[in-house]
Amino acid sequence: MIRAGRPRAGGRELPPGPDTQSDPPAAWQAHVEGVQALLDEATEESEFSHPMVGTHRLADAIDQFYTPDVLMHTWDLATAIGRAPNLDPAFATQLLDGMAGIEDGPAVAVDADADPVTRLAGFIGRDPSWPKNSLTSS
């Protein structure tokens, strides 16, 4: 994920924002604005380099790494507060198809007829049967 204070495309950094512990919504908004500024100033040739994934066009890196990361963590956040993730099943299917043959840790078994979002959650190691309202579960 692109973070404040960490190198981004061309060696530039996102501006620091509020502390995530004291003001998570403001920290997320600052992050969103920093990423949007990065995209607004990008050209077709803009690149993103990272030692673990190599060099990619910035647009491709956003598409292949950043957007799926945000989508999958949306599942985490929604589930943690007892809300349905309401993620796009077609995009979940696209991600599953693109990650076929990749193992990012142990998957959690799900029913064969599970919807694409549930299958994606299980594939990336999330337990879809995790309590729906974990903040009040003991």
Side-chain angles (χ1 to χ4, degrees):
M1 180 174 264
I2 300 169
R3 291 187 174 96
R6 300 252 172 125
R8 62 178 182 139
R12 296 166 289 164
E13 296 179 357
L14 294 179
D19 177 65
T20 58
Q21 295 296 314
S22 61
D23 194 350
W28 177 250
Q29 185 60 41
H31 177 81
V32 167
E33 290 169 4
V35 171
Q36 187 61 55
L38 170 66
L39 294 171
D40 290 345
E41 66 189 36
T43 66
E44 181 69 25
E45 295 80 28
S46 294
E47 292 184 341
F48 174 85
S49 291
H50 189 278
M52 294 184 70
V53 297
T55 300
H56 300 269
R57 283 183 338 111
L58 177 62
D60 294 338
I62 293 290
D63 183 51
Q64 294 173 9
F65 307 117
Y66 184 77
T67 301
D69 191 57
V70 170
L71 177 107
M72 290 184 261
H73 288 302
T74 298
W75 185 94
D76 298 334
L77 294 170
T79 303
I81 63 170
R83 296 210 173 161
N86 296 327
L87 301 176
D88 180 8
F91 190 55
T93 299
Q94 180 184 347
L95 290 177
L96 282 165
D97 291 345
M99 292 189 296
I102 298 172
E103 187 174 327
D104 187 34
V108 173
V110 299
D111 291 337
D113 63 346
D115 65 271
V117 172
T118 300
R119 290 192 343 259
L120 178 62
F123 181 83
I124 63 170
R126 278 31 173 206
D127 182 354
S129 65
W130 191 52
K132 296 299 181 198
N133 191 350
S134 62
L135 296 178
T136 58
S137 297
S138 50

